Amino acid sequence: MTELNQPRKMWADDNCNPTSDKRGEVSKGGECESMLQTIDNVWEPSQARKLGPYFHDGRRRIDYVLTYTVQKPVSMSPTSSGSFVRGLRQSLSRSLRRSTSSAQDDPENASELGCQEDVKRVRREEFEDNLMEMGLELEKDEGTKIPGVGFLKIHAPWDILCREAEFMKLKMPTKKVYEVKSASNFMEKISQFFNKMTKPLQPNVEDSKMETIKHLSYPFSREKQHLFDLSDKDSFFNSKNRSLIVHGVLKRTKCVRGKHNVGLISLLGNGVYTSAYPLHDGDVEGINAEPNDRKLLYDEWARYSIFYKYQPIGLIRKYFGEKVGLYFAWLGVYTQMLIPASIVGVIVFLYGCATLDDNIPSMEICDPRNNITMCPLCDRVCNYWKLVAACGTARASHLFDNSATVFFSIFMALWATMFMEHWKRRQMRLNYIWDLTTFEEEEEHPRAEYEFRTMQKSVRVDSRRERRGKPKKKTVKLTCTDRMPAYMTTLVMMCFMICATFVVVLGVVLYRIAIMTALQLTQTPATNVRATVKTTAAIINLIIIIILDEVYGALARWLTVLEVPKTDKSFEERLIIKSFILKFLNSFTPIVYLAFFRGRLVGRPGSYIYVLSSFRMEECAHAGCLMELCIQLCITMLGKQLIQNNLFEIGIPKLKKMLRRRKTGMDTQEEELEKKLRRHEKDHFLGPFIGLSPEYMEMIMQFGMVTLFVASFPLAPLFALLNNVIEIRLDAKKFVKELRRPLAARAKNIGIWYTLLRGISKVAVIVNAFVISFTSDFIPRLVYQYMYSPDGTLHGFVDHQLSFFNVSHFRPGTEPLEPMLGNQKVEVCRYKDYRDSPWSDTPYDFSREFWCILAARLAFVIVFQNVVMLMSDFVDWLIPDIPKEINVQMQKERTLFVEMFMKEEQGKRILWNNQGESPCQPRSRRISNNI
Amino acid sequence: MTELNQPRKMWADDNCNPTSDKRGEVSKGGECESMLQTIDNVWEPSQARKLGPYFHDGRRRIDYVLTYTVQKPVSMSPTSSGSFVRGLRQSLSRSLRRSTSSAQDDPENASELGCQEDVKRVRREEFEDNLMEMGLELEKDEGTKIPGVGFLKIHAPWDILCREAEFMKLKMPTKKVYEVKSASNFMEKISQFFNKMTKPLQPNVEDSKMETIKHLSYPFSREKQHLFDLSDKDSFFNSKNRSLIVHGVLKRTKCVRGKHNVGLISLLGNGVYTSAYPLHDGDVEGINAEPNDRKLLYDEWARYSIFYKYQPIGLIRKYFGEKVGLYFAWLGVYTQMLIPASIVGVIVFLYGCATLDDNIPSMEICDPRNNITMCPLCDRVCNYWKLVAACGTARASHLFDNSATVFFSIFMALWATMFMEHWKRRQMRLNYIWDLTTFEEEEEHPRAEYEFRTMQKSVRVDSRRERRGKPKKKTVKLTCTDRMPAYMTTLVMMCFMICATFVVVLGVVLYRIAIMTALQLTQTPATNVRATVKTTAAIINLIIIIILDEVYGALARWLTVLEVPKTDKSFEERLIIKSFILKFLNSFTPIVYLAFFRGRLVGRPGSYIYVLSSFRMEECAHAGCLMELCIQLCITMLGKQLIQNNLFEIGIPKLKKMLRRRKTGMDTQEEELEKKLRRHEKDHFLGPFIGLSPEYMEMIMQFGMVTLFVASFPLAPLFALLNNVIEIRLDAKKFVKELRRPLAARAKNIGIWYTLLRGISKVAVIVNAFVISFTSDFIPRLVYQYMYSPDGTLHGFVDHQLSFFNVSHFRPGTEPLEPMLGNQKVEVCRYKDYRDSPWSDTPYDFSREFWCILAARLAFVIVFQNVVMLMSDFVDWLIPDIPKEINVQMQKERTLFVEMFMKEEQGKRILWNNQGESPCQPRSRRISNNI
């Protein structure tokens, strides 16, 4: 609170001769008066303005803030040192740097902390001078309220904004408006009706309403200023665009370091600055909260109570930029698309429930008259058992293994395609509305680590070349050879971690087998054994998945750092690919094992397969593994979402914030003091924005859960939907309240995530084909019904599935201790497999039925995969990527522009004519005719 | 020759007051002097210039020509009629039109031919007036040398070119050049070496050499004129760009017709103008041939003797525009990529030849000691036969059915992916070099038919609304309802034609069966029978394919016309899809039948399947149908290419040209007179450019042949390569010499053709998987070797393949007349199938081996398809779509521009400072500090 009453020092140079000071700010023509006015007029800012994102004069807006650490907050007054002293210091530091050959941030000086700080300050000063030369206006705020932290506040004046907007080809709305009309009257009425219907679902935000009129946009150009409505210069560029422009200048501004130019990214990486961020618009709660976009977002978006409403995407984009806007738009589309999927999923599940009692195979199993003796489930200690004991699981399996499941798999494959298509169209529409259609990716600057490594390399190369008398090389790049060790490490580590995943799954399997055997030895009842083992194993799996997820995330980051990618984009992509592979395998290996391997490598009675030479491989319950797969999926999905949402997304950020407060010495008692902090100081306490990757990754994994094994778990979309409805508001809260404002990065699409989504939905088709044909009993039932059944029904299917085993063929020492079941001596027991009977020519060989059913299963996979892929491709081709009305509007805009410019041309011509300025008018009717 | 000496009439209005005549041409400022000079200076054009593409003054270039029919070449002098008469005529015709409510081109007047001609002339005059208002300069040439044809020559003066280039955002090279450098020294040396190596392969054209320096390009803007090198205004816009610009103006210019505006396309459609084309640069041969781009293309591109050279793509694009350039670039890439494919294909074929004698199955078949008696091939008349008789075909089959084939299929699937990727990169590189990266598709104007239909509809709608007292509707569009009859027709016709294709194939099959039976009845030797039938059937097939191809092409066009698509682009796409489906089915149905159905629906001895209740379905030769498939492919491919190339591409155009000459009364004796014709008259005799679709379609079909059944015919790529080497030069000759110059349409990609290519290469993977697993004996051999063979070799495979048949089970009346073979009575004969033996429990049922092999076949399909698709996707993902160096260069260009503009800014600032013009300079060091 003290600095508000302090006298402020401000250099206002009245000398009008620009040549005397090179750093002087030059503005041209019309802007001049207003500038002077701003400075002359002693304008006392209001309390709100003082606390808002403004310079101390309360007029100039802070467009960007850089922070740095201040060591001696009292003795320093860096800007008051004259230019002579600064020049001396700079030349000194430069010679110092040259002598140390630019090694790791001048390590010779590292021993003297103060000296290092000095070097940093000198570099800061150089950077600030360069910024001012670029035309930005700066204000410093060193350790006033938050000890040890200095703020460099940056303001871009009008002419700089104009210049940069022109360079960036920023599309701005022109004065020209036109009416956006639907194609026909009928369509218009429908859309009006739809708008009326969804009125209560629309957020209470202005921009979601007026859709009938659109401003034509045109790349900003000072030569075409007359096109734009410049009546309010303060708001022509909104805070998002201002920060984007300033960020552009910051990126371009270079510091000389050795023979290399280093930019802001390197300065941030070397600790010269600690962070860089644009400011939030204002408070969201409390007495100081004036109406602003942030508050509006908080009220109309970041609240759980309005979970049923659409998101105000336009406003999100206006505040956070296109990249964040696209994420939330994507999340919205995904969530919306989950609604039909969950409805169909629930119907499929209900169908399973309804047909429970009509299911012939489970009726037959539960019928005690079918007196079938099954072979024992474990060696020696287990007894023969009656098939009727499997009645419960057989009935439960039917819930997830019925003919509706096949339909649902096909539906979900098409759903995934529809979702991708829908998103492509939505993205295109947003691109059009947000004027990004002609936006090109900007050049990215090298990362600090990369610059450091190239610097090291160039020193090495140069010294080698110098020895050989060759000239120095101009540019040095990191080649594959330089990165080879890192690549090898990555390869080895990735292989190792993938193996680790497999080992973990194997470990859980062994745990299950061991516990099962142990429990069976103690003669616990069979159902209890199974239930206990299943549940504990699934929970262990879940815990391991969550732990490994975090470990793999960290490892992937470490590996990517080792590779020293050139740009942030490349860094992000490499990181995403690595962590996607690891996390994906981590989440899905146990499920894949359950679906495709469990119960298949068992062997047969008399020649079981043993692991560790004593444990028999685990079998599935009689009705197949689908039930267990379902349980595993359910636990993984619910558990992961609950734990990750609650713990990681809510708990840990809170903890971090608390720690950050404690670190800077702010106690909880001082919280009310916080209200009197200025905007940039408040934002300093918020968490830094670390990118959208974790959010996307979570959703992609969920998308995998929803599509990959949907054949075995039709309720997955419902769970995902419930989670996402919360997730949207959770993320919204985080972005609006908990995090510093992210740079409003522009982006046309969601980049690599789309590729991953496509990949998953392709894999999903194959996985579902295999689940239906191999994990479920769908195909055997079908084959039985049409090839073997005497009456064309499923009666007798259960018997057909079971092969015979002569108990005298048990390997010695593995036969059950009790050779009786009830009071009958068992001579032949049954097991679930298609094998020849003991009395055939080829006992226990795979029977003709086995091969026939295998062929049918494989044929189904081929047909399913190709039909679904064909249908997906057809849907893809049928739905144009660019919505028709957008295409029409884009063409209309182009025509309007040509018309506008033609009119302008004619206007000019008339002007000339009226003024009589053009000296000659060759008005010959220039048509000549030869007859 | 007469008109050169005639006095020319030219309206040169000296009156400088522009208001008196609305049609006057106004040019501004700087351009004025040069204009006047051009007109004042009485410059006598040279003979060459007179015959070249210039106005009669020999100065102004003809950028575009419209032609129209002239009825009374003597009595008419349309431009001499004063403005009063013209006005009268216009108002008259307008009222006429209003009264007839714009029905089919004023049908009331159709009876009076002269009157209709008058209406057309009036409309032409209106259009010409509008063109002049747009600033174009016109010259007319009516029926001077070619009776009945009028030419409207159009020239765009400099300021119009500038204005339109600005509207079109035409990217033009600036003065700023920069060095294009390879990434590293090493790469540079490699590329230099490569360039030196390929020197003799490079065409002798300038632009293919200097690649190290590139002009920065920037959208042309009159405000930024200083960026461009405008020293030679005549050549700044080359003839391609000039014609493009004029075409843009022509498209925008409208004629009023009723209440509708109709553009050039409608005028062409209604016969007001007969054709519109830009002019060629000059002659390619003869004494008048000055060096020009067309001649250069003729010498360095359109000659068979330089078939081994690269194409001068840059020059092609410069002369014909980007669309044509892309076609030839694509064709070049395709041909180039065929080289490795043909080499591998030849190696695979040679491998088959080399291993011919090591092949155990064919050795066993040819071994007379294996005394296997086969069941007869037809009912009653055919005898039992010895397997050794199939020796020849078995050996021949091995050429195409060996393990190398599987490898080749995988190779070709990856090859197709590589080709697509390579093309994507090449396309991107061309986009960059041709400055198309920011090019957006232009709005297309409705086709004449569409405009006419909407006009009809609006009349209908309006009269209906008028009756109900509603206001008139502004815009009327064709909806789905309007098009429904056409869609239904299309659907029905397409289904009908697809059925027709199937029927034709069935017909050929029946022909084969019938002839076969007939020949067998006459006791012709078996080998002769087979050879005769196979060859005649394949030739009949080929002829039918070629005939139906033409029929389908015409039908597809007719159906598309019925649908009245809105734009030319939509018309083209619909036409392409239709004719692609039809032609594809037409070409591939016989082949698909051979590969997958023939020999499979035969039944078994004792229960054969009969068609038409008397003919047994045809069987394959013992070694499978692969051999026949191969012959069919070979004949189809060679025959199609030879006939279509020679007859359709060379013969028919020549014929057409001759006819066109005869029609206009030019006899062959007058050919030397042609040399004295002017450019636009010469071009009039050339064939009109009808688009690239036929060329692309031919190539796509060939691509299908090369990839789809490559498993059965490894020489296909070689045949395709040989064809394409000729095709390129053939097309080149056609474009340079035979056709009118096409409009230099801009395009970023090859559009729908890429989609079709992708589709084919996807289908190819599946088809090849099926060919390998079902048509060839690869899988049965493998299964035998690893599951049934006693010693792990193929010994005994032939015996294993054959089932037993008890001859007493023949259906009565079908047993052979001769129950003996040699001097033994046959009791059991063998046939190729996996069935149970007559003495088993289930005689003649499919055996366990059958199901086992079927499962193996299906498993192979799944594995092959997914592995190859995965590999393709991986290759796709691995190779970036945008070449790295192009990315780097694009970013570099952007940086260079910002630097350039920043320098400009500073320059301006310094200028101000030196002139002291800016009244005030707020030079405050705007950094303030709060401590």
Side-chain angles (χ1 to χ4, degrees), chain B residues 171 238 240-241 297 312-326 430 433-436 741 744:
Chain B
K171 275 197 170 180
N238 60 23
K240 182 202 73 171
N241 282 337
L297 278 174
I313 292 295
L315 189 64
I316 298 170
R317 172 252 178 177
K318 192 180 154 204
Y319 192 76
F320 289 114
E322 283 80 8
K323 213 167 178 180
V324 175
L326 273 179
L430 289 178
I433 296 175
W434 296 349
D435 293 320
L436 289 172
R741 189 171 182 174

Side-chain angles (χ1 to χ4, degrees), chain A residues 919-931:
Chain A
C920 60
Q921 305 279 349
R923 277 176 45 271
S924 57
R925 190 181 179 330
R926 279 209 202 76
I927 187 161
S928 49
N929 208 347
N930 298 280
I931 300 158

Side-chain angles (χ1 to χ4, degrees), chain A residues 267-308:
Chain A
L267 295 179
L268 282 169
N270 295 337
V272 176
Y273 291 102
T274 48
S275 59
Y277 50 90
L279 293 185
H280 275 299
D281 271 3
D283 284 325
V284 291
E285 310 172 294
I287 41 155
N288 293 328
E290 289 180 357
N292 58 49
D293 283 345
R294 192 187 180 199
K295 190 164 156 43
L296 195 59
L297 278 174
Y298 189 70
D299 291 339
E300 292 299 329
W301 179 47
R303 273 165 50 202
Y304 292 115
S305 56
I306 49 169
F307 71 90
Y308 57 90

Side-chain angles (χ1 to χ4, degrees), chain B residues 55-331:
Chain B
F55 275 16
H56 274 280
D57 61 8
R59 294 217 147 180
R60 286 176 286 166
R61 214 190 137 83
I62 303 173
D63 296 318
Y64 223 87
V65 166
L66 302 180
T67 64
Y68 49 90
T69 44
V70 185
Q71 283 295 319
K72 311 159 208 159
V74 189
S75 70
M76 254 173 51
S77 53
T79 48
S80 63
S81 55
S83 63
F84 171 74
V85 179
R86 190 181 304 121
L88 200 73
R89 210 187 276 151
Q90 278 179 354
S91 66
L92 195 76
S93 77
R94 262 188 217 123
S95 64
L96 242 171
R97 260 176 272 141
R98 216 166 288 135
S99 68
T100 57
S101 292
S102 322
Q104 167 77 42
D105 209 52
D106 307 57
E108 279 82 347
N109 306 338
S111 54
E112 279 182 81
L113 204 82
C115 189
Q116 199 187 21
E117 275 309 309
D118 264 1
V119 170
K120 279 185 187 170
R121 201 178 58 243
V122 168
R123 197 158 299 147
R124 268 203 296 279
E125 270 164 32
E126 188 194 344
F127 188 67
E128 280 152 24
D129 284 352
N130 288 342
L131 284 183
M132 278 191 288
E133 207 160 303
M134 296 293 267
L136 296 178
E137 297 177 10
L138 311 175
E139 193 179 59
K140 274 190 173 180
D141 200 348
E142 278 191 1
T144 43
K145 239 178 270 161
I146 307 162
V149 180
F151 293 97
L152 178 70
K153 295 173 277 180
I154 303 172
H155 166 78
W158 172 250
D159 48 347
I160 303 302
L161 289 175
C162 288
R163 188 188 72 202
E164 294 295 323
E166 190 175 322
F167 289 172
M168 293 168 84
K169 291 175 190 154
L170 214 58
K171 275 197 170 180
M172 298 301 294
T174 61
K175 284 182 228 162
K176 178 108 182 162
V177 294
Y178 76 99
E179 220 178 326
V180 178
K181 269 196 68 173
S182 291
S184 65
N185 259 339
F186 181 65
M187 286 306 289
E188 206 171 337
K189 266 176 199 157
I190 282 189
S191 94
Q192 273 175 3
F193 176 75
F194 185 75
N195 279 347
K196 212 178 247 170
M197 283 297 291
T198 58
K199 191 96 200 351
L201 298 183
Q202 294 293 347
N204 205 1
V205 176
E206 232 170 80
D207 74 274
S208 67
K209 284 167 201 161
M210 42 169 226
E211 275 171 8
T212 48
I213 279 182
K214 189 181 186 293
H215 282 267
L216 276 178
S217 289
Y218 196 75
F220 186 80
S221 157
R222 283 165 296 177
E223 280 144 356
K224 291 210 164 28
Q225 273 196 19
H226 56 278
L227 293 178
F228 304 97
D229 178 20
L230 300 182
S231 56
D232 184 5
K233 285 182 181 172
D234 279 347
S235 65
F236 182 71
F237 295 107
N238 60 23
S239 62
K240 182 202 73 171
N241 282 337
R242 295 179 73 100
S243 65
L244 194 62
I245 287 170
V246 172
H247 182 78
V249 179
L250 286 176
K251 270 205 311 193
R252 237 179 32 238
T253 310
K254 301 281 184 197
C255 257
V256 180
R257 188 191 176 191
K259 58 171 196 166
H260 289 276
N261 292 324
V262 293
L264 176 64
I265 296 172
S266 285
L267 295 179
L268 280 170
N270 295 339
V272 175
Y273 291 101
T274 47
S275 59
Y277 51 89
L279 292 186
H280 275 299
D281 271 2
D283 283 326
V284 290
E285 309 171 296
I287 41 155
N288 293 330
E290 288 179 359
N292 59 48
D293 282 345
R294 192 187 180 198
K295 190 167 156 47
L296 195 58
L297 278 174
Y298 188 69
D299 292 339
E300 294 298 331
W301 180 48
R303 273 165 49 203
Y304 292 115
S305 56
I306 49 169
F307 71 91
Y308 58 90
K309 280 193 182 181
Y310 287 104
Q311 301 178 80
I313 292 295
L315 189 64
I316 298 170
R317 172 252 178 177
K318 192 180 154 204
Y319 192 76
F320 289 114
E322 283 80 8
K323 213 167 178 180
V324 175
L326 273 179
Y327 166 68
F328 281 105
W330 177 82
L331 191 54

